[in-house]
């Protein structure tokens, strides 16, 4: 029998636990060598005990150190109150002297001693001669990071300039170490990933010379934010008239603030013609005065975006241009009939602009909110474009009730449920609706029928018992609804009472009950009790992980008295019932009636 190739063994070992890899070492010489190399090539050392064990192991078996390629030490190299306790087991010294094939060192907020040690040993040129990736710097030791990077410039494939706490602010570019780096960046012959994240007043095109100085660059990360307190304009220096395309750059991550004018959007289109991944983030807390982008330029950029295999973009848009841009998007791709809407509160909203986000599957619209608004900001959009929406998700994650004046029209509207069902009247073609449970569940009785909605999802239902009586009226207004999804958030101390689902006028194909609380645990002997009342019968069931069994009314009432998970369901008919929870082996239990 021919032995398996080493590459095949690598793929197999990627799916094995440590104890299984130790067993593999007993198979034969080939498996021993392959499993040992796999076991010691990628290490995660997060505690002082693991650091001591690894140091002892490498000290007694030098050959094992030669297998190490990637290590993550988490916070082991951070600054300590007692300097004598910093790297007390000598892990860094072992990595430097006993691990000649080390490629990547990862850790968080390393102490200046870390950088000094690497710089000292690197300047001698005897150790870590293959090092490709240094940990991201902390603002407090950015200068030391730059000097260390320059020492290892012959082998580094990643470079990070990060000043997230704004220690240097706009003065970073006057830093001697930073200026020295810019003059020598062309000497990083293997640089593939450049990460810039620091306060700046420059837009993306201003970094063109820097990009051109890195001929092997494949990934570019630039989030260059102006300090929040500054209201100065961005330096919108026009890109060079002759833009040299970089088809070799396949990943771009940046923020909208450094590209929010027409020349910058066209620069991206010309500069990066073969992107495989694009991420554009929008930071609404920064109020910059960007130049105006016309709808046609935005659409030209979005056509370019949709040609990229993987993308997630967020950008700013004039409110009056939303309908025009969105309808053009639908003409390009039908999937954008699925819309996710949300809101910014008045603390961070820009009065006349909203944000639009999109990926491969859906469109996200975030409307600004103000206490003095006379109508909900989405009304105008839905009035003009609602007939083309197929699926709608209402997201209130960023809506801060405390920031709103309680007597304002906006506050009163958002604490109730009627505005959600009024949206239905503006979207006659809507088939799916998803929304979080509001505080006030008094549903008006003068709403109109909506015959196209097939699926209703209600999320964020709290563990404090709350009436779902609005479902009964919802079954009247949504007569053709076939699926009901209920997302609960049951905490550890929750004592279940029967969950009443009254859909008297609905013939349902499916009801799904999902617990969104991440620490909720299903007992090993899991039982759910169901009372199902239809137009033909009233029956009682007990569902387990394996089957659904009929029971009598006394057994159901006993389960209610014991605070077990019980459901009281009323509908015309029901075909299937499901329970979703992360702690279930298969994540889902389902029963058919």
């Amino acid at each position: 029998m021919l032995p398996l190739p080493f590459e095949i063994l690598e793929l197999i070992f990627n799916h094995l636990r440590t104890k299984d890899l130790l067993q593999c070492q007993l198979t034969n010489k080939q498996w021993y060598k392959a499993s040992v190399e796999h076991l010691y090539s990628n290490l995660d050392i997060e505690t002082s005990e693991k650091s001591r064990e690894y140091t002892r192991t490498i000290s007694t078996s030098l050959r094992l150190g030669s297998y190490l390629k990637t290590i993550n030490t988490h916070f082991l190299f951070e600054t300590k109150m007692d300097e004598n306790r910093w790297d007390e087991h000598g892990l860094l010294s072992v990595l430097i002297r006993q691990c000649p094939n080390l490629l990547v060192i990862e850790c968080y907020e390393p102490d200046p001693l870390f950088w000094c040690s690497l710089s000292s040993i690197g300047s001698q040129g005897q150790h870590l001669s293959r090092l490709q990736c240094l940990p991201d710097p902390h603002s407090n030791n950015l200068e030391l990071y730059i000097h260390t990077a320059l020492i290892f410039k012959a082998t580094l494939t990643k470079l990070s300039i990060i000043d997230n706490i704004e220690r240097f602010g706009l003065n970073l570019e006057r830093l001697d170490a930073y200026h020295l780096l810019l003059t020598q960046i062309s000497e990083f012959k293997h640089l593939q990933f450049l990460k810039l994240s620091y306060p700046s007043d420059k837009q993306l095109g201003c970094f063109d010379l820097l990009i051109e100085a890195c001929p092997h660059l494949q990934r570019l990360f630039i989030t260059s934010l102006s300090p929040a307190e500054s209201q100065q304009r961005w330096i919108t220096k026009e890109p060079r008239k002759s833009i040299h395309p970089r088809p070799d750059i396949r990943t771009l991550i940046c923020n909208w603030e450094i590209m929010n004018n027409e020349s910058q959007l066209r620069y991206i289109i010309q500069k990066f013609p073969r992107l495989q991944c694009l991420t554009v983030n929008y930071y609404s807390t920064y109020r910059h005065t960007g130049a105006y982008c016309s709808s046609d330029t935005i659409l030209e950029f979005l056509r370019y975006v949709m040609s990229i295999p993987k993308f997630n973009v967020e950008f700013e848009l004039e409110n009056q241009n939303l309908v025009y841009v969105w309808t053009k998007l639908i003409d390009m791709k039908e999937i954008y009939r699925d819309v996710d809407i949300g809101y910014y509160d008045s603390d961070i909203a820009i009065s006349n602009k909203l944000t639009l986000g999109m990926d491969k599957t859906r469109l996200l619209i975030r409307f600004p909110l103000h206490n003095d608004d006379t109508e909900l900001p989405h009304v105008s959009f839905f009035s003009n474009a609602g007939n083309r929406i197929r699926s709608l998700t209402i997201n209130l994650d960023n809506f801060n009730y405390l920031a709103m004046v309680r007597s304002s029209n906006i506050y009163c509207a958002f604490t109730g449920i009627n505005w959600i069902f009024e949206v239905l009247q503006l979207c006659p073609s809507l088939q799916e609706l998803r929304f979080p449970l509001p505080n006030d569940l008094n549903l008006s009785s003068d709403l109109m029928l909506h015959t196209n909605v097939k699926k209703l999802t209600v999320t964020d239902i709290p563990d404090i018992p709350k009436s779902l009586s609005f479902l009964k009226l919802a079954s009247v207004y949504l007569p053709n609804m076939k699926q009901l999804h209920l997302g609960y958030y049951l905490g550890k101390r929750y004592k279940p009472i029967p969950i009443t689902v009254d859909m008297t006028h609905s013939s349902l194909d499916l009801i799904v009950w999902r617990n969104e609380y991440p620490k909720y645990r299903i007992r090993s002997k899991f039982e759910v009790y169901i009372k199902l009342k239809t137009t033909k019968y009233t029956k009682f069931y007990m569902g387990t992980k394996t089957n659904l069994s009929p029971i009598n009314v006394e057994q159901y009432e006993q389960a209610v008295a014991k605070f077990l998970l019980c459901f009281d369901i009323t509908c015309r008919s029901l075909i299937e019932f499901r329970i979703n929870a992360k702690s279930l082996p298969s994540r889902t239990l389902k029963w058919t009636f």
Side-chain angles (χ1 to χ4, degrees):
M1 178 179 177
L2 294 175
L4 289 173
F6 183 81
E7 294 77 11
I8 301 297
L9 290 176
E10 270 292 303
L11 293 174
I12 295 172
F13 293 161
N14 281 335
H15 299 279
L16 299 184
R17 298 169 296 178
T18 300
K19 65 177 184 179
D20 298 323
L21 287 170
L22 294 175
Q23 290 294 322
C24 290
Q25 295 178 17
L26 305 177
T27 305
N28 55 41
K29 289 183 178 180
Q30 185 206 21
W31 280 49
Y32 173 81
K33 182 180 179 180
S35 59
V36 168
E37 184 170 342
H38 184 85
L39 191 61
Y40 285 93
S41 64
N42 190 340
L43 295 179
D44 194 277
I45 300 179
E46 57 185 356
T47 64
S48 179
E49 291 74 15
K50 287 185 178 181
S51 171
R52 182 177 64 250
E53 291 174 7
Y54 182 73
T55 303
R56 287 179 178 176
T57 301
I58 299 303
S59 300
T60 56
S61 181
L62 301 181
R63 179 173 54 86
L64 296 179
S66 65
Y67 295 139
L68 184 62
K69 294 181 180 179
T70 300
I71 187 169
N72 188 342
T73 62
H74 298 269
F75 291 97
L76 287 181
F77 292 140
E78 70 174 346
T79 302
K80 306 291 185 184
M81 296 295 294
D82 182 0
E83 288 189 7
N84 295 324
R85 294 195 60 193
W86 186 82
D87 193 21
E88 56 186 330
H89 303 301
L91 175 61
L92 183 58
S93 177
V94 167
L95 296 178
I96 291 173
R97 301 184 184 280
Q98 308 299 338
C99 303
N101 298 315
L102 185 60
L103 303 178
V104 178
I105 302 177
E106 297 180 11
C107 60
Y108 305 122
E109 302 181 7
D111 185 86
L113 288 172
F114 173 86
W115 300 112
C116 291
S117 299
L118 286 186
S119 299
S120 175
I121 204 68
S123 59
Q124 299 174 18
Q126 298 178 353
H127 301 283
L128 299 181
S129 60
R130 302 179 63 188
L131 190 63
Q132 296 180 1
C133 184
L134 294 169
D136 285 347
H138 190 262
S139 295
N140 292 331
N141 48 47
L142 182 56
E143 294 173 273
L144 289 173
Y145 168 83
I146 292 176
H147 285 298
T148 305
L150 288 170
I151 290 173
F152 291 95
K153 62 186 177 183
T155 57
L156 285 186
T157 60
K158 177 185 175 182
L159 192 61
S160 300
I161 307 298
I162 299 175
D163 183 29
N164 287 339
I165 64 172
E166 300 182 3
R167 179 186 174 204
F168 299 103
L170 298 179
N171 296 318
L172 173 63
E173 295 174 11
R174 300 190 183 98
L175 196 67
D176 289 340
Y178 178 76
H179 182 71
L180 181 63
L181 175 66
L182 294 186
T183 59
Q184 298 187 29
I185 197 166
S186 60
E187 300 177 21
F188 287 75
K189 300 298 184 182
H190 301 283
L191 188 62
Q192 298 177 7
F193 182 17
L194 179 60
K195 183 176 182 180
L196 304 175
S197 181
Y198 62 91
S200 175
D201 54 1
K202 291 183 172 61
Q203 289 204 309
L204 187 59
C206 298
F207 296 95
D208 190 67
L209 290 176
L210 181 64
I211 296 170
E212 286 304 300
C214 307
H216 301 288
L217 204 60
Q218 297 179 13
R219 301 175 63 198
L220 180 61
F221 181 110
I222 299 182
T223 56
S224 186
L225 293 177
S226 179
E229 65 273 7
S230 98
Q231 296 295 325
Q232 61 190 8
R233 296 181 62 87
W234 292 88
I235 297 177
T236 58
K237 178 180 177 182
E238 291 289 325
R240 293 183 298 173
K241 291 184 179 179
S242 58
I243 298 174
H244 177 246
R246 290 294 302 271
D248 51 325
I249 296 179
R250 296 307 180 93
T251 300
L252 174 63
I253 302 173
C254 60
N255 55 294
W256 174 251
E257 287 77 4
I258 67 172
M259 52 181 281
N260 63 344
N261 67 59
E262 298 194 353
S263 65
Q264 299 299 313
L265 295 182
R266 293 195 176 100
Y267 169 77
I268 291 177
I269 294 172
Q270 297 177 45
K271 187 69 177 179
F272 311 106
R274 295 183 182 175
L275 282 180
Q276 297 296 304
C277 178
L278 173 64
T279 301
V280 179
N281 298 309
Y282 176 77
Y283 300 103
S284 57
T285 53
Y286 288 83
R287 302 186 183 186
H288 305 299
T289 53
Y292 174 78
C293 291
S294 69
S295 298
D296 291 334
T297 303
I298 290 286
L299 284 170
E300 180 185 357
F301 176 68
L302 294 182
R303 289 190 188 95
Y304 160 78
V305 167
M306 287 190 287
S307 68
I308 299 171
K310 183 179 180 181
F311 64 85
N312 192 324
V313 299
E314 299 174 346
F315 56 94
E316 196 176 65
L317 189 65
E318 298 287 341
N319 209 336
Q320 64 269 23
N321 294 333
L322 173 61
V323 174
Y324 175 75
V325 171
W326 181 71
T327 51
K328 291 295 183 182
L329 276 176
I330 289 179
D331 293 338
M332 287 186 273
K333 280 201 175 182
E334 278 287 316
I335 60 172
Y336 295 121
R337 290 180 182 272
D338 301 344
V339 177
D340 183 320
I341 65 170
Y343 307 87
Y344 292 126
D345 63 45
S346 56
D347 288 340
I348 62 176
I350 300 176
S351 58
N352 63 334
K353 295 185 178 181
L354 50 84
T355 60
L356 202 64
M358 54 187 289
D359 56 24
K360 279 290 186 182
T361 60
R362 61 177 180 163
L363 189 75
L364 295 87
I365 306 173
R366 298 295 178 257
F367 296 95
L369 284 178
H370 300 274
N371 283 310
D372 55 356
D373 286 342
T374 56
E375 72 173 8
L376 295 173
H378 58 251
V379 171
S380 175
F381 170 66
F382 286 127
S383 298
N384 291 282
N387 62 332
R388 304 189 71 176
I389 297 178
R390 179 180 58 200
S391 173
L392 177 64
T393 297
I394 297 174
N395 190 322
L396 297 180
D397 290 346
N398 291 325
F399 179 63
N400 183 5
Y401 288 98
L402 299 177
M404 307 302 292
V405 176
R406 290 181 178 271
S407 60
S408 67
N409 293 332
I410 297 299
Y411 179 87
C412 295
F414 272 98
T415 54
I417 195 173
N418 283 298
W419 72 274
I420 295 175
F421 279 81
E422 288 168 0
V423 167
L424 289 173
Q425 316 307 319
L426 301 174
C427 305
S429 301
L430 194 67
Q431 298 177 19
E432 299 181 9
L433 175 63
R434 177 188 177 97
F435 62 89
L437 190 69
N439 294 328
D440 183 1
L441 298 177
N442 293 318
L443 187 60
S444 173
S445 58
D446 58 353
L447 299 175
M448 296 172 58
L449 292 179
H450 195 297
T451 58
N452 287 321
V453 172
K454 302 294 190 299
K455 179 180 177 181
L456 179 67
T457 302
V458 184
T459 63
D460 300 342
I461 303 174
D463 57 358
I464 300 174
K466 201 165 191 177
S467 172
L468 298 180
S469 58
F470 76 95
L471 288 177
K472 185 173 183 178
L473 278 176
S475 70
V476 175
Y477 300 134
L478 311 174
N480 296 324
M481 186 173 62
K482 296 299 181 183
Q483 293 188 23
L484 175 65
H485 295 246
L486 301 174
Y488 275 69
Y489 199 85
L490 302 186
K492 291 182 178 179
R493 299 179 181 179
Y494 174 70
K495 287 188 176 182
I497 63 172
I499 296 172
T500 302
V501 180
D502 191 349
M503 303 291 292
T504 306
H505 304 279
S506 299
S507 298
L508 297 173
D509 294 337
L510 175 67
I511 293 179
V512 178
W513 180 87
R514 181 179 67 258
N515 187 16
E516 299 169 342
Y517 184 66
K519 296 183 179 179
Y520 180 77
R521 290 290 177 262
I522 298 292
R523 297 176 303 161
S524 58
K525 186 182 178 182
F526 175 72
E527 295 174 351
V528 58
Y529 294 84
I530 302 170
K531 175 184 176 182
L532 178 59
K533 182 179 179 181
T534 68
T535 54
K536 296 181 178 180
Y537 58 78
T538 299
K539 294 185 178 181
F540 301 87
Y541 301 91
M542 180 184 71
T544 65
K545 292 182 179 180
T546 56
N547 61 359
L548 182 71
S549 306
I551 59 174
N552 56 44
V553 62
E554 289 79 11
Q555 290 173 298
Y556 177 81
E557 291 175 350
Q558 289 175 7
V560 171
K562 294 178 180 179
F563 297 105
L564 299 179
L565 187 57
C566 300
F567 293 87
D568 186 348
I569 302 173
T570 303
C571 57
R572 287 184 177 177
S573 63
L574 177 62
I575 296 176
E576 185 176 323
F577 182 77
R578 295 180 189 171
I579 288 184
N580 291 345
K582 291 183 178 180
S583 56
L584 288 170
S586 61
R587 295 290 181 98
T588 302
L589 293 178
K590 58 183 179 180
W591 303 283
T592 302
F593 298 96

